[in-house]
Amino acid sequence: MKRIELILQTLRALPAGQSLTASQLGERLGFSRANVSGDLNRLCEEGLTVKSGRKPVGYLAVRSRTKLGLREDSLDDFIGNFPSLVQCGELAKAAVLYPPHGINMLLIGETGVGKSTFASRIHRFALSQERMVAGTVLVTFNCADYANNPQLLTGLLFGAVKGAYTGADHDKPGLIERADGGMLFLDEVHRLPPEGQEMLFTYIDRGVFRRLGETAGERKARVLLICATTEDPQSALLRTFVRRIPMVIRIPSLFELSLDERATLINGFFTEEARRLDAKIQVSVNSIRALLGYACPGNIGQLRSDIQLLCAMAYSRFVSHEKDFIGIDSFSLPHHIRNGFFSEHNRREIWNRVPGLGLGYIVFTREGPDVPDRESSSAPSDIYQMIEQQTRDMRRVGLKEEEIRVGLNTVVERYYKNLTESAADLVNFKEIERLVGPEIIATVDRMLCLAPERFTERSSEQFSERFSSIPGVNIRWALAIHLYKAIGRMRRHQEIVNPRLEEIKTQYPRQFEAALSCLNIIRQDFGIAFPEDEAGFIAFFLDPQLLRTEKAPLVRIVVVAHGNGTASGMAQAANELTGTEIAVGFDMPLQENPGTTYQAIRKYCAALSDVREVFLLVDMGSLVDFAPNLSRDLGIRTDCCVLASTLHVLEASRKALLGYPLRRVAEDVRNIAGLALGEGQPARQTSGSALYLLTVCSTGEGNATMLKKLLEEKLDLKDGLCEIIALQITDPKTFSAETDRIARKGRIIAVAGPFDTGLPVLHLSVQDVFDDQHGNGSAMEKIQEIINLESLFQHITPAITPMLDSFDVPDAPGGERITQDIRRLIERLGNLLQMEVDEKMTVGIFCHIAFMLNRLKKGQLTAPFPGKEGFLEKYPGVIDHASRECRNLGIDYGVVIPQDEICYIAAFFTRENIM
């Protein structure tokens, strides 16, 4: 009898309710505690034992199907959290239940998708259905371990008699016999050589076999086979073998699972580690977001391993007293996981679904995730905390301001939906009245009575009937909760900012006017003067149909790009993010005549009976003629944008859905990062931003020219942003005059040549230029980083400056001044603190400071820096340098930068977790 079977038998022999620890079992049976513990964990996974109590943990044998939880739907319990596995589960159940003894199965899936786990669940289901002998365990075998030794493989599968091979000093049963009456799981079955596959034919066909070395008689066994492979069975297995396994089940990869399914896995793995460590694990919300978004080629297996690694690192910091809790924050994530912040796949859904609005972390216990309450659970999170937290989270991981703005729009939409549904779900509206007080309820009633008088032709009764008839909407109670939160915020002297204020003013002027009148009612009743941003929030409560009615867009979005799947992929991504079908993509094969593509677009546009404006996004300038041709042929208004990306398509779709006219859609899309150009529209140039790299020699321009050609081949000069100039140094005065002339036109970033010119820039030796092995930190790498960063800022500056509405920077030069001032501050702080500030960090700090200055110019308040006193004590040197630089910047722009803001800036350079 095997050790695991003996352990299970011993536990079953105990009196009811009595348990044994791993150590006690080891002493009783003469096995090591480590081996016994491993077997007990396996028995728990199989559902044959359960744990009892805390450390030392005892183990009980499961004596009935009720205690085990092996109900008829035990497999359904497993796939209930994973809708993507429903079909897999149905196929597996059909295979188990097929008379008389089930049919063999082949599981196909990438490495790490969970084939072994799924096989274990199939085994549990078969036990629950009494389709196999009670108490049998799932016997597993990895075929790769013995793929090159057919004789040993035969002995392991079918057993061997004494003397069958060297070392066979007694009869040995094989895996088939051990699994008799149960299941045998053959993992990596494609590693079985053809001889090994053929060995199974007779058994699969007739249910009989012989041990290795056995010549007379046949043995019988009833075993259900579950095989698993990562390969295509048609090419990796014998066709005669595949024919004998009729049930093929494909397990989806981690990438194919939904975001909710991936979140379930993450929660489960952290919960497992909390049980293993017998302690709480605190995980930042941003860390959860990164885990949801990062590329995980190893599938579920890699996800589990990565989470175990994160927990191990956090536990190490805990036991070494670096931290007084087991905590995982975004700064401690490995690089490949941090990249999840910047993943285009599901980005918007990730930022919208993860909890933590007003929270910075999730606590995992042995029972599962436990999100701490910051306020009474009777009231949903307020819109202000949601906006602040989402903005802070997005900026912390370096997302662009345009992406943040798109994300904040969805925060507002989700807030109204959640709040009205929360009010509908409360059992007794008296609970809300007790929470907010009768005064707020009375004020809300006055506001709702005012609304129909201001912008509808209905009476108050008709208006009330109108919003009360909308399923799931309880406007009176939802508005009461919102107002309760808003008043509390004003009394705490916290600012109120509405990211959609201008859109609401433009799109819903009557509702906004009524909301302003409501602010007067609030001021009369409570003596509190709200900013007009609050009117933007109230407007949606006053006319709930705005949240329910889908208006036909005035503009239709058409994407045209060369290559298979390019245009359609961008259009599909935008449609999924907006939940509509407003964008359509036309993929243009490289060999296809543009006229053929144009006719397809023309046919599509002609069929749009309700649309008179079309906005085209194309990937090449040769396609811009499509727009005027459509206007000529169909009599519709068109516009065009070149250099389309998913972000451009998404912004165009969003603006069109908001009802913006074609002109406004086109303008807003072209303003994104300054990338897109319309027909006849010149590219923007930022004055004084040209870069120059000098190649020099003293013996003639030949060597300098050769170095120039080499550098042009090795560097990405960003379409002429950086120019390489070859110079001959024959006279110091002439060389100095020439470099001064070049410096007036732009910025000299480096000099390449056989000697140092004395210019205060990077110097490349001739060896640096010829050396192809450029590692991190090399001179060539640094030059490329400078070029990349300058290119990035040429796109950022025209995109951000229109948003800085407190400054007079309508044109590029004004925006360039702010950009250069902030970049100089970042560079000086990096030098003072002796830090390398990389591209992502520079962009993140720049965006933060630019919008900070804008807020301060408006007189808006700063969010308190969490743990400020401790932070000031921990980093006095960083604070001193940051304070000095911020004081000078504040003088230049007429603002006083408060200490909380200085701490936020300093946190970038300390990489301190402030969530």
Side-chain angles (χ1 to χ4, degrees), residues 150-156 158-165 172 199 209-215:
Q151 186 181 53
L152 184 56
L153 181 64
T154 304
L156 287 168
F158 300 106
V161 298
K162 181 178 179 179
Y165 54 82
K172 294 181 179 180
M199 291 173 190
F209 66 96
R210 287 176 179 160
R211 289 181 178 178
L212 182 65
E214 212 167 38
T215 57

Side-chain angles (χ1 to χ4, degrees), residues 121-188:
R121 295 292 175 165
I122 295 173
H123 175 256
R124 292 185 62 183
F125 174 75
L127 281 174
S128 74
Q129 299 299 304
E130 299 181 347
R131 300 293 292 175
M132 59 183 60
V133 177
T136 58
V137 298
L138 178 65
V139 179
T140 63
F141 178 68
N142 193 314
C143 301
D145 295 341
Y146 304 97
N148 298 321
N149 194 331
Q151 186 181 53
L152 184 56
L153 181 64
T154 304
L156 287 168
L157 283 174
F158 300 106
V161 298
K162 181 178 179 179
Y165 54 82
T166 303
D169 52 2
H170 60 277
D171 290 351
K172 294 181 179 180
L175 297 174
I176 295 289
E177 289 178 77
R178 282 173 46 198
D180 189 17
M183 283 185 181
L184 173 60
F185 177 54
L186 298 177
D187 200 6
E188 296 192 72

Side-chain angles (χ1 to χ4, degrees), residues 690-693 716-724 749 783 787:
L691 303 180
Y692 295 98
L693 196 162
D716 178 4
L717 301 178
K718 301 297 181 183
D719 296 327
L721 171 65
C722 179
E723 181 182 350
I724 302 177
I749 60 172
I783 290 174
I787 297 172

Side-chain angles (χ1 to χ4, degrees), residues 586-602:
F586 288 87
D587 299 318
M588 183 174 172
L590 295 175
Q591 310 92 319
E592 185 170 280
N593 188 306
T596 304
T597 305
Y598 173 76
Q599 291 302 323
I601 298 172
R602 183 181 183 280

Side-chain angles (χ1 to χ4, degrees), residues 271-282:
T271 301
E272 284 180 11
E273 298 309 308
R275 291 195 192 113
R276 190 194 309 271
L277 298 173
D278 196 21
K280 295 180 179 179
I281 301 175
Q282 181 174 303

Side-chain angles (χ1 to χ4, degrees), residues 522-834:
I522 298 171
R523 185 170 60 251
Q524 294 167 12
D525 290 354
F526 294 95
I528 297 175
F530 277 90
E532 66 175 3
D533 294 69
E534 178 59 31
F537 291 124
I538 293 175
F540 279 93
F541 286 104
L542 298 182
D543 193 356
Q545 290 292 350
L546 296 179
L547 301 173
R548 301 285 178 172
T549 304
E550 295 184 359
K551 299 180 179 179
L554 300 175
V555 182
R556 189 57 59 96
I557 309 302
V558 174
V559 190
V560 192
H562 291 78
N564 295 327
T566 306
S568 57
M570 288 188 285
Q572 180 182 355
N575 288 337
E576 288 178 357
L577 289 172
T578 58
T580 67
E581 296 294 330
I582 190 172
V584 62
F586 288 87
D587 299 318
M588 183 174 172
L590 295 175
Q591 310 92 319
E592 185 170 280
N593 188 306
T596 304
T597 305
Y598 173 76
Q599 291 302 323
I601 298 172
R602 183 181 183 280
K603 181 179 179 181
Y604 167 79
C605 293
L608 299 175
S609 58
D610 58 339
V611 176
R612 304 303 301 165
E613 296 183 332
V614 175
F615 185 52
L616 285 86
L617 298 103
V618 301
D619 68 340
M620 291 189 182
S622 59
L623 305 181
V624 296
D625 290 338
F626 284 7
N629 290 346
L630 286 172
S631 296
R632 179 196 65 210
D633 295 346
L634 301 177
I636 61 175
R637 290 183 292 275
T638 62
D639 205 335
C640 186
C641 169
V642 185
L643 296 177
S645 69
T646 302
L647 182 60
H648 291 88
V649 179
L650 175 59
E651 178 67 0
S653 301
R654 195 177 66 82
K655 288 298 174 67
L657 288 169
L658 289 171
Y660 282 30
L662 176 63
R663 177 186 55 80
R664 178 69 183 276
V665 172
E667 287 178 359
D668 288 353
V669 170
R670 288 184 181 122
N671 284 335
I672 297 179
L675 289 176
L677 305 176
E679 179 191 17
Q681 187 177 14
R684 299 190 196 189
Q685 296 293 333
T686 306
S687 62
S689 61
L691 303 180
Y692 295 98
L693 196 162
L694 308 182
T695 59
V696 298
C697 65
S698 58
T699 59
E701 290 189 5
N703 289 336
T705 302
M706 178 190 67
L707 291 176
K708 174 183 175 181
K709 290 181 179 179
L710 285 171
L711 288 170
E712 287 174 342
E713 293 175 1
K714 292 173 179 287
L715 293 172
D716 178 4
L717 301 178
K718 301 297 181 183
D719 296 327
L721 171 65
C722 179
E723 181 182 350
I724 302 177
I725 300 177
L727 293 177
Q728 177 186 9
I729 302 178
T730 55
D731 174 53
K733 290 184 179 180
T734 304
F735 177 77
S736 178
E738 184 65 12
T739 55
D740 287 345
R741 183 186 65 80
I742 295 172
R744 284 193 295 271
K745 296 194 300 179
R747 175 185 170 198
I748 300 173
I749 60 172
V751 177
F755 48 82
D756 191 347
T757 61
L759 292 174
V761 295
L762 282 175
H763 177 261
L764 276 76
S765 66
V766 175
Q767 182 179 353
D768 289 332
V769 177
F770 279 92
D771 187 5
D772 286 328
Q773 305 299 320
H774 299 300
N776 289 332
S778 70
M780 290 284 282
E781 285 279 43
K782 290 180 180 178
I783 290 174
Q784 188 63 63
E785 288 174 7
I786 294 172
I787 297 172
N788 293 345
L789 188 62
E790 194 64 39
S791 174
L792 182 61
F793 270 101
Q794 282 211 3
H795 295 148
I796 287 177
T797 300
I800 284 184
T801 49
M803 304 180 196
L804 304 180
D805 51 1
S806 296
F807 298 89
D808 183 18
V809 289
D811 52 6
E816 185 180 338
R817 179 208 162 190
I818 293 177
T819 301
Q820 296 304 324
D821 287 347
I822 297 175
R823 289 182 63 184
R824 278 193 289 268
L825 180 148
I826 297 170
E827 184 177 354
R828 283 195 299 266
L829 276 177
N831 292 335
L832 289 169
L833 299 173
Q834 299 181 343

